[in-house]
Every structure is written in structure tokens, then in C-alpha cells.
Amino acid sequence: MNCTLRRTLASCLSFLCLVVLAPRARADQWTAPTPEELSMASQAQVPGAAAVYLFKEEVTDDKLHMWSKYVRLKVLTEAGKEFANVELKQYSSSEHGGYTVSDIAGRTIHPDGTIIPFTGKPFDKLIEKGQGFKEQAKVFTLPDVEVGSIIEYRYQLRYDDMYFIAPDWYVQSDLFTRKAHYVWRPTNKTLVTSDDQGGQLTSGIAWMPILPKDADFKQTRMPATGQDEGQLVMELNMHDVPAAPNEEYMPPIQSLTYRVLFYYTPYRSGEEFWKNEGKRWAKNREKFIGPGSQVKGAVAELVTAGDTPEQKLRKIYAAVMTLDNTSYDRARSAAEEKSQGLGEVKTTDDVWARKRGGDDQIAELFVAMARAAGLKAYVMAVTDRDHNLFLPAYNSLSQLDDDIAIVNIDGKDQFFDPGQRYCPYGQLAWKHTLVQGLREVDGGGTMFATTPPESYKDQRIDRIADLTLDEHGEATGSVTMKYQGAPALRWRQTFLRGDETSLKRDLQTSMERLMPTGMDVKVASIQQLQEYEQPLEVHFEVKGQIASSTGKRLLVPADIFEVNAKPTFPHEKRELPVYFDYTSSTLDAVRVHYPASMAVESAPATQQLPYQKTAMYTLQSETAQNAVTVRRSFLMGDIVFPKEEYPDLRAFYTKMETKDQEPVVLKIATQAASQ
């Protein structure tokens, strides 16, 4: 089941008593296009845009358990015609909490005003199906769309009668929006939460807005009727909403685009929420962790009385790394578990007995085993910064994606990521570094914490080429890639999600993208694929044209691994900070053996380029008899650079990339001697 969907449904609220539903409100009429909308060929704020939203509206009415959505979009280019293909998701569950799409209507309006109504029937597309749930989509295409057309459609989402889900208004998207209108009419009934932390009465609503200053966001209450409190209405109007930024190496902007996130809550403040929900979260984790008798027995066999805390922990980590991680393989259905005489996984004893579990379950098992060995160990729930940033002002546990482990050794907290299969001991997957989250503390409480960074020395790629060149510029030879840290973890987890055949294909494709166009690349061997504490080594055999001829000379790429590199930062201006996934070090060594009939006329001069105290680039070359060797190193020690630094950072990368393209010039030796 999709993780995001699972967490969303866990936050649904059920009614304490039955509600008599009012008749469905009449659908709004279509909007008549203005002459300006019909004739418009571009939007001044976004020149060259494929399309723009003329209007978006979303109305949520809790009494009807229904969301109504309405979209008007102007197609400006050929690429914009793709927006005629619409996919609307729906979800069903045996545990309720599902929603269905209904009342789909649409039409296309040509620039001359001709209206073509949508008369087709949407078809159901299966997205994912599992034990007790099904995720589908209603898919349809609006008719006869051309450049200049206005696309218009509306639909409704109907939720189960006994559930209430507060809306999330994501105003900013990948398109410029002229006008947007959002309305929520929440219930005034007392609700009860229903999630994995338990249940409690809920009678209030809260929200977290990320909006520009000119946004018209307001709450009003309609006049009371009889004994009923007047209807509360939340409303947002916005205009000229820019498209979400799309820049190279930017933060996970989906956490910071314009939005209002609503939620029902029993708490009066964020501090009260995190204090109470943190305790409930910790209590739930502790119940699962234990440790129980099976875990204690397993640890007793793994460690000895004479082991140091470090030795104990390494043995435990190695043991949990042998387990089947179903987050990379597949989870077993309830029927499969039952056929093996296994029931529901309720404790870490169950995980150990099965020798398999999901990533969070394995992380919690590691904590349980560390405790069984007499060590102080804690769970920390963190945000995956590949997708999101943690926002303490947003009072929701749904921000916390994954569990990691903290073990105190000799008075110092050390962080571990056993739920990430093949992550080395004492390291975190890059997406879990430098992120905030919620961690356990002694006494059953919790606190906000931030995970540590990883050193650039631990995130390393060595690229080594040994090539023999003929007089026509064709090379044959070998390439060796050594991966450590994040690069190694990426390839190892790619293997887990596929097999060795697909891994070889992906590795070959990645090398072909580095090499000059047309080179023949074959994977010769993969070494230490599952030995996660060792570098991953991949050996390639390569053959093909690498040099260009000027008649009397051959121009050979100095660093064959950079021959296809494109500018890292091609744009002069930038809106957002620069954000790299992780610190890194890349070390290249390229040796080219050339024919005895040739000699080196010129090779790149040694150059060293520092960037503040954060990055360092070095290129140097050396010649020997019938061979030239170029060594390149690039070390990046930080991941975030404010946009104010962008001009300097871009200038540094430009100098480095210009240097990378300097060739080695070979000349026929007899000609060189006569001139």
C-alpha cells in the first residue's frame, strides 16, 4: 500500500453518531469564457509556458462528505495539449476510509468559441491492489483539444459516510494560476480520532498556512439557527499564483509551496500537540519494541560477556542486516502468513521469528536487541528529505516517514539506519541526514532532534580508466568504478528492487552516458555487491572512438568521465538555495597509452580551484613513455548554499567545467621532430 496514502487515511476522523446526509447540492454552471481568454496566446508572467490555469476551485462540505473540484485551463503550446489527458484517483478499503470519483463533466472551447462537450465514459485504471485495498483512477481525455483551446472539467470526490478528512489546499502547482478559490465547511460535531496511536475526542480544527502576504484567507461563521451553532466557513482567494520553482539542485520544494494544511485536533496549541502525541507515539513504539524473550535469547547467543559495547553493537547490526527487508522485497499477505502458522506482527519477537520485516520494524528490532545487550537505545522518527522538510508548526505525525536508531555508547549518541538495507554500520542513508524528527528520551518522553551530517570522505566514487589508443583515435581498455557511502547504497538498493541482470543493464547504461557517444561498454564483473561495509566495485570493458582528428593531431579528452558533462548551473539567475543530496568526493585517474609513432604536444596544466572552505577541485597531468595520465579530484563538503552565494558558486563550477574540457593533444612524432 502506498505509504503516503496509508498515513493520510490513518488521520481520518470518524463521527461519534450517525449523520443524515442532505441532498447533493446542484453543480455549478460552466463559466462563459471572456474574449480575452479566447484570444490569449501567452501569459506575460510566464513567457513560453505550455498552459496556465485560468481558474481552480475546490469546495469541501463535511455535511455531504464530499469535495467538489473545478478546473479551467488554457492551452498555449503543443506541449500544453497533454493536459487534456486527466487522471483522477480513487481508493477503496475493506476498513472504510475510501473515496470515489463521480459526476465527471467536461468540455473543450476553441478560440472561436466553439464548444465540444465531453461525452465519453472514463475508464478505470488499476494503480495498486493489495490485501483489503484497491487504488484506481478514472481516466479520460477531453475532446478535440488544440493550441488556444480552453479545457474545462469538474468532478466530485465522495468519502465514506462515517469519516471526515480535513482538506489540504495545495495552491501552487507546476503551472501559473490566474485565480484560485478554496472553501471548507467543517463539521461542528464532536469526532473521535482513529489511528494507530489510539482514539480520543476531537472538537477543534487547526491549520498551517504557507501563503503570500496578499492572499485573502479568512474564516467566517454563518448566523446560528435555533440551537445549532452557525456554520464555520474557511475560505481562500488568490490570484496570479506563480508556478512552483523548477531549478537545478533545489530543496524539496513541495514542502514549501503555497498551501494551507487543515486538521481536526483535540489540542489547543502546537506545544500541547507534540507533548501529548509524542508520548502516545513513544508508548506505541515501546509496546512493539520490548524486548521480549526471543530477542533476549537471540542476543545472548550473538554476544559474549567480554565484548565491548562497540563489539556487541556490530554483531547485532550484522545480524539484523541478514533479515529479509520487505520494504525492498515484498510484504507477505495475511493469507501467506496464516498458511505458515504466523499471525499479526505485534512485537519485535515476531519480526525476529519471521526473519523478515519492513524497514521501520527492522530499525525497531535493532533497538530492542541493543537494549537486550544492556545498551541505552532509542527510536527516532525522521522526515525523508528526498521529498519533504520537517515543519514543527505543522502539528502532524504524518511528516515523519521513517524510523532510525540511536544508541548511546560511552556517553555519546550514535546514529544507525538498519532499516536501510546495506547501509554501513554507523552511517545514515543520505535522505536521513541533517533532518529533524522526533526521538525518544529517558522517562517515556520525546523531543525534537536533528540527525548529524555525513562526511564527504564517506560518500566517494573512484573512477579509473586504463585505455590503449590507436593512431585513428579508437581506444580499448578497462574502466573500474568504486562506490562508497551514498553512491554504493543507491546501486545496492537498485539490485534489491530488481536482480543482477537488471543491475548490470542499469550500470551499463550509466557508463554509456559518461563515455563518448558510440563507445561499446560491457560490464565485466561486479564485486562486493552485498558486502555493505566494503566499497562496491564494478569493472567494465570499453571500446570505441574517443579522439577527434585534425589531420596531423589527435584531440583526446583529458578526463574521459567528463566528456559528456553539461553545465551544472546554466542559468544566470536563481530563486532558491542550491541544495545537493549529500556531500561527496569524486576521484578520477585516466591513463591513455598512445602509439609509439605519436607524442604529447600539450596536456592540461595543473590547476587547483578552491571554493571558500567548502569545495576543492584539482586537475593535473603527467606524461611517461607512450602514456599520459590525468588525475582529477572534486571534493564537496556542504549541501546547502543560500541564493546570495549563487553567482560565486556558479562561477566556481563554470571554471571547473571549462578546465575539464581541455584536451590532451597528440601529434605524430616524426612531424613533431621536423617542425
Side-chain angles (χ1 to χ4, degrees), residues 1-3 125-130 133-136:
M1 182 176 178
N2 180 276
C3 178
K125 171 184 173 183
L126 179 63
I127 298 174
E128 186 178 3
K129 182 178 181 181
F133 78 92
K134 181 189 292 185
E135 187 178 5
Q136 295 177 293

Side-chain angles (χ1 to χ4, degrees), residues 26-30 57 59 70 154:
R26 181 174 62 88
D28 292 336
Q29 298 297 317
W30 297 118
E57 183 176 61
V59 179
Y70 177 38
R154 60 179 180 240

